[in-house]
Amino acid sequence: MAKTYVAVDIGASSGRLMLSQLVDGKLKLEEMHRFKNGFTKKDGHDRWDIDHLIQEIFTGLEKIKKAGYTEITLGIDTWAVDYVLVGKDGERLNDPVSYRDARTQESIEKLTSELPKEYIYEKTGIQFLDFNTLYQLFEEDQDLLAQTDKILMIPDYIGYVLTGNAVTEVTNASTTQMLSLREGLFDDNLLEKINVKQEQFPKLVDPGTNLGELADKWHQKYDLPKTKVVTVATHDTASAVVGTPAVGQRWSYLSSGTWSLIGAELNVPENGEAAFEHNYTNEWGAYGTYRFLKNIMGLWIIQNVKEELDNKYSFAELAGLAGQEEPFQQFIDVNDDRFQNPANMIQELQAYCRETGQKVPETPGEIAMAVYSNLSLYYANELEILGNILGYKVDALNIVGGGSNVEIMNQLTATIAGVDVYAGPSEATAIGNVIVQMIAEGDILNVYLARRIIADSFPLKKYSPEGSLQYKLNEYQAFLKETKKTTV
Ligand SMILES: Nc1ncnc2c1ncn2[C@@H]1O[C@H](COP(=O)(O)OP(=O)(O)OP(=O)(O)O)[C@@H](O)[C@H]1O
Ligand SMILES: C[C@H](O)[C@H](O)[C@@H](O)C(=O)CO
Ligand SMILES: [Mg+2]
């Protein structure tokens, strides 16, 4: 009987428990439970409801038990950078603050006035995003920090609640912008800067570490399967990269969800001048790799548009309406900070177009196409920059995540970038999560073979360039140069 694996994959917009088994060399994947995620304003900050997320996990595990699965292995992955402060009594001190909260808007300038960006980037190789853990802890309530016994990243906290065991998993630890590339530890100078001690972080562990059994108290409270928890690549993007089929000689990936993370998998970090100038990051990947990538605002923009249209349209319907419009009616720098957490996204997009003297999108289709076509242009621009930094032309882009369902964006990206796009699997994150568990349990030999199994198990859709849109990319790059504020 094939062993049963469960991925708990919680993104910024939604979470899911996915059940997987390896049967005759193919991966079976079944969604057992899905729930919404999101932050709300509480005690003056945008915060996650971590207790709700944990409750949803138990709800999903009860469904799995009810479906007849009595023994499972489980892994947890979530979004990056955010953390939970745990007191000396082992209990949570507060609701975790969301990385979209305004508290860190000025933090990079404040912190790097005393500790130069060049030092931080040379040490960590991590992109400057104002919500990195480094800046969040720099702004953290000092009284709370003084009461803190353990700082746990979100997925590590969930694993701690489930098993009682606390670790710091390295792929997510790297997103803090405090993990030294050379020493493989949190950098002492950076910790000192933010008033944090090494011992406030539990020991660093690699993906595939056995975290322990689900604590007995949960079996007394709920009807759950016997559950062994494995620490996977707990940063969801790290799991997504593991779950990428990696089609192409010089392949690249685009993890397309709330964020769009575009980049390549390297065996050595690249934190040189060009990478620094273009704010590329070296987040740690599984199996000693580095995720050399760039954060792009992503489908967060469409998620807000959908809500502001009172959810009258599904994502598929919005993509369908967009497909009825001409692309490139206006150029938008989708990575402009103003789109990070505006009061009203549609108004922000329209104001941007008015301020730059361009056609203002009005209908749902026009607005959706404005977003999708400018995301495609931005992806193509970054693929060109990625190739220039790495010294080779990327020959294939593997688009995974929910965004891989947006056919017009897949096709536009292929044509503008002049590369073949392979779309899917949309649940690559959950797949990468269970792959690390299967390798740890000896069901699969290594990640290279796993990726062949993924390509055999999930139909990929290929999009080849249709003519050339190089001229349009050149126009967009000129537009970005004119309108871009200096990058951090
Ligand atoms: N059928 C579809 N048609 C068009 N867009 C879709 C479709 N399905 C999903 N999407 C897009 O995918 C996005 C969600 O992607 P995904 O499920 O990978 O994100 P997530 O895991 O919830 O969040 P995160 O990116 O933080 O991990 C939605 O916001 C939507 O824009
Ligand atoms: C804030 C991070 O950049 C974000 O979480 C991203 O890395 C991610 O995890 C997208 O799912
Ligand atoms: Mg996700």
Side-chain angles (χ1 to χ4, degrees), residues 228-280:
K228 172 182 181 182
V229 181
V230 173
T231 297
V232 295
T234 62
H235 177 197
D236 58 1
T237 307
S239 275
V241 173
V242 170
T244 297
V247 178
Q249 190 60 36
R250 292 180 299 286
W251 64 281
S252 59
Y253 52 76
L254 167 63
S255 176
S256 178
T258 301
W259 286 88
S260 297
L261 298 316
I262 195 162
E265 181 176 79
L266 304 184
N267 293 318
V268 290
E270 173 44 56
N271 59 338
E273 185 72 24
F276 174 71
E277 289 306 317
H278 288 287
N279 204 26
Y280 265 73

Side-chain angles (χ1 to χ4, degrees), residues 296-326:
I296 301 171
M297 206 62 77
L299 295 166
W300 154 258
I301 301 176
I302 278 287
Q303 289 167 5
N304 283 271
V305 166
K306 177 175 180 291
E307 290 227 345
E308 289 158 16
L309 293 171
D310 302 324
N311 292 304
K312 270 207 299 282
Y313 307 97
S314 70
F315 288 125
E317 285 164 339
L318 276 175
L321 289 172
Q324 295 164 27
E325 304 296 335
E326 279 301 309

Side-chain angles (χ1 to χ4, degrees), residues 11-12 78-81 99 127 129 131 235-237 259 261 283 295:
T78 76
W79 69 98
V81 305
Y99 61 84
Q127 63 190 321
L129 295 172
F131 48 65
H235 177 197
D236 58 1
T237 307
W259 286 88
L261 298 316
E283 291 173 350
N295 267 51

Side-chain angles (χ1 to χ4, degrees), residues 181 264-272 281-285 287-292 390:
L181 282 169
E265 181 176 79
L266 304 184
N267 293 318
V268 290
E270 173 44 56
N271 59 338
T281 202
N282 293 270
E283 291 173 350
W284 293 28
Y287 310 114
T289 61
Y290 295 88
R291 293 175 285 128
F292 187 67
L390 298 180

Side-chain angles (χ1 to χ4, degrees), residues 250 266 270 274 292 383-394:
R250 292 180 299 286
L266 304 184
E270 173 44 56
F292 187 67
L383 274 184
E384 195 173 281
I385 292 168
L386 177 69
N388 292 343
I389 295 172
L390 298 180
Y392 60 68
K393 179 159 173 32
V394 164

Side-chain angles (χ1 to χ4, degrees), residues 9-12 14 16 77 236 255 257-258 429:
D9 167 28
I10 308 178
S14 65
R16 72 282 278 159
D77 72 77
D236 58 1
S255 176
T258 301
T429 304

Side-chain angles (χ1 to χ4, degrees), residues 11 26 45-46 48 63-64 76 86 115 130 155 183 203 214 241 276 287 321 346 351 372 405 409 439 447 452 458 463:
K26 292 269 181 83
H45 292 287
D46 289 328
W48 304 103
K63 287 184 182 176
I64 287 167
I76 303 154
V86 174
L115 208 51
D130 60 12
E183 288 83 37
K203 68 176 168 44
L214 193 61
V241 173
F276 174 71
Y287 310 114
L321 289 172
I346 292 175
Y372 290 138
N405 294 297
M409 204 159 56
I439 292 172
V447 68
R452 297 294 44 86
F458 303 97
Y463 300 80

